[in-house]
Amino acid sequence: MEFGMILILFVASIPTILAEDISYGTIVVDGTTSIAQTDDNFVCATIDWWPHDKCDYKQCPWHYTSAITLDLSHPILTKAIQAFNRLRIRIGGSLQDQVLYNVGNLKSPCHPFRKMKHGLFGFSKGCLQMKRWDELNHFFNATSVMLTFGLNALYGRHKIKGSLWGGEWDSSNAQDFIKYSISKGYQIDSWEYGNELSGNGVGAHVHADRYGKDLIHLKKIIKELYRGSQFEPSLVAPGGFFNQQWFTKLLQVSGSNVLDAISHHIYNLGAGSDPKLVSKILDPNHLNKVANTFINLARTVQTHGPWSSAWVGESGGAYNSGGPHVSDTFVNSFWYLDQLGMASKYQTKVYCRQTLIGGNYGLLNPQHMFQTPIITVHFYGIV
């Protein structure tokens, strides 16, 4: 079980707050040997698309924290991001592959997300207006954010059977969106393609060979549109749960130097409704189980895509918005610190915490932001 330096400091302080008859031990940190090296912007947080009426376990913890509705003028939000030298933010999530960009020759009506019985994840398609995209980029520029943006990988496709989607990806809307971003001078560090469509997917999935061909096509679009620019954004994918056969096929089909980073998601604590959530967080044996995912992904990348690096594109501990009164408390910091250490050990270059704000697992407490000047921050186990 790998813990960060701050946890070590916390452990070292325990004797001052516990009874006097405790047994003392010695912690030795060998700072002379390097185990692995992370990216300069290893720590990352996400902003999701979920609207305020996304509910789990009879509660609705998202409030107005989506990329579309988040109050970008709130000083606490600004100060929290600026506390980092340069924070990477990933905009993405379950509704990512239903987002339409209202720019260029959009072929579909562009309306806000609304609940829809037979829609993917119970919601309709949603719209990102360019006015809002402008606002987001002005905010990110002012706070020195390094942005990873997740593109819709289902546009133009249709459901074939069960959760399998097929047909050609229509890249026109994404291409118009990227063109607009370039014309405005927006600095996008990386474009990510799709969300949780790997393997059997979550809600929807696409075959790896088709996905790999899409990446080749998207890479060509990026290279063409950014030709002559001083900076070319990286291409990241697939932003889904690790399936060794699927990920291997993806790298084989897409080929060398197409995919710059291969991203996967981790929710190793299970459902947010699990009454044993705290026990899992405090159990080193349970936390260590996910090490196999890191090990196998590292081997897959080394064998089939050594030109690419491994990212954790989304990790919130417990899925379905996190665990009420657990994911939003200090105890969840033990899971987070362990994940940061483990990801680092196995050559993960970026680790994106779900979320910066929104759900029960947010690093910032939206209720405090919207009601009082008090805020709960869980960065690195600090509350």
Side-chain angles (χ1 to χ4, degrees):
M1 182 172 168
E2 298 82 7
F3 288 90
M5 180 63 72
I6 291 178
L7 182 58
I8 293 174
L9 296 177
F10 170 76
V11 172
S13 70
I14 288 177
T16 65
I17 56 176
L18 296 182
E20 295 181 358
D21 58 347
I22 64 173
S23 297
Y24 291 90
T26 302
I27 296 175
V28 178
V29 178
D30 182 1
T32 63
T33 304
S34 175
I35 297 175
Q37 184 173 347
T38 62
D39 185 87
D40 289 340
N41 300 96
F42 173 69
V43 175
C44 162
T46 69
I47 295 177
D48 214 300
W49 294 101
W50 287 121
H52 71 281
D53 50 354
K54 150 71 171 170
C55 305
D56 297 286
Y57 317 125
K58 297 182 180 180
Q59 53 135 357
C60 309
W62 287 89
H63 307 280
Y64 292 89
T65 61
S66 80
I68 296 173
T69 58
L70 181 61
D71 180 6
L72 303 176
S73 67
H74 202 294
I76 291 179
L77 180 65
T78 299
K79 290 177 181 178
I81 293 174
Q82 289 178 331
F84 289 82
N85 180 36
R86 195 177 184 196
L87 179 64
R88 180 187 297 277
I89 288 181
R90 174 215 181 220
I91 295 183
S94 297
L95 298 183
Q96 172 180 319
D97 297 302
Q98 293 170 253
V99 178
L100 304 177
Y101 319 116
N102 196 15
V103 64
N105 299 313
L106 181 60
K107 302 170 184 177
S108 307
C110 209
H111 301 300
F113 284 114
R114 59 180 176 81
K115 284 193 171 182
M116 191 168 75
K117 185 176 181 181
H118 299 295
L120 197 57
F121 301 107
F123 283 89
S124 67
K125 294 178 180 179
C127 184
L128 176 60
Q129 302 287 353
M130 291 305 96
K131 182 177 183 296
R132 179 58 176 180
W133 181 232
D134 295 340
E135 293 170 351
L136 285 165
N137 278 278
H138 293 155
F139 174 75
F140 294 149
N141 182 61
T143 52
S144 300
V145 162
M146 178 176 282
L147 181 63
T148 296
F149 186 92
L151 296 168
N152 181 343
L154 291 182
Y155 187 63
R157 290 197 162 106
H158 58 275
K159 184 183 290 190
I160 296 177
K161 183 180 179 181
S163 65
L164 176 62
W165 285 59
E168 297 286 330
W169 175 53
D170 185 345
S171 62
S172 61
N173 193 220
Q175 187 165 350
D176 287 341
F177 180 56
I178 296 173
K179 278 183 183 177
Y180 177 85
S181 301
I182 294 172
S183 73
K184 301 290 284 189
Y186 297 150
Q187 297 297 309
I188 313 300
D189 176 77
S190 42
W191 296 103
E192 186 174 30
Y193 182 66
N195 183 82
E196 296 181 352
L197 301 174
S198 57
N200 293 322
V202 178
H205 73 280
V206 176
H207 286 318
D209 56 346
R210 182 67 267 169
Y211 215 91
K213 293 174 183 176
D214 292 341
L215 290 176
I216 295 172
H217 177 53
L218 180 54
K219 188 72 169 185
K220 288 180 179 177
I221 290 174
I222 292 173
K223 284 190 170 297
E224 180 182 336
L225 294 180
Y226 283 91
R227 184 181 294 127
S229 299
Q230 294 182 344
F231 174 78
E232 180 184 304
S234 301
L235 178 56
V236 183
F241 293 97
F242 178 65
N243 175 297
Q244 190 160 7
Q245 183 179 358
W246 196 97
F247 274 55
T248 297
K249 186 71 172 180
L250 178 73
L251 287 167
Q252 290 173 337
V253 172
S254 58
S256 63
N257 300 313
V258 170
L259 194 56
D260 299 298
I262 187 159
S263 56
H264 67 118
H265 294 179
I266 293 177
Y267 285 89
N268 60 313
L269 298 179
S273 59
D274 189 346
K276 297 181 179 180
L277 204 54
V278 172
S279 297
K280 288 181 177 180
I281 292 171
L282 298 178
D283 181 1
N285 292 323
H286 181 83
L287 296 180
N288 281 339
K289 289 178 182 178
V290 77
N292 287 330
T293 297
F294 285 104
I295 292 169
N296 291 330
L297 177 61
R299 288 173 179 168
T300 300
V301 171
Q302 183 60 39
T303 303
H304 303 285
W307 54 85
S308 184
S309 60
W311 287 19
V312 172
E314 181 182 313
S315 184
Y319 57 79
N320 289 343
S321 304
H325 311 302
V326 177
S327 297
D328 53 353
T329 64
F330 178 76
V331 72
N332 198 48
S333 302
F334 290 94
W335 159 80
Y336 186 31
L337 286 167
D338 185 71
Q339 279 279 290
L340 289 172
M342 188 178 294
S344 303
K345 178 179 178 179
Y346 294 111
Q347 305 295 333
T348 301
K349 300 305 180 185
V350 172
Y351 187 99
C352 296
R353 165 67 182 261
Q354 175 82 346
T355 61
L356 174 64
I357 183 169
N360 292 305
Y361 37 39
L363 294 168
L364 303 180
N365 187 326
Q367 294 188 69
H368 289 166
M369 277 186 63
F370 299 143
Q371 295 174 9
T372 74
I374 302 172
I375 191 164
T376 303
V377 184
H378 300 290
F379 284 126
Y380 295 106
I382 300 174
V383 179

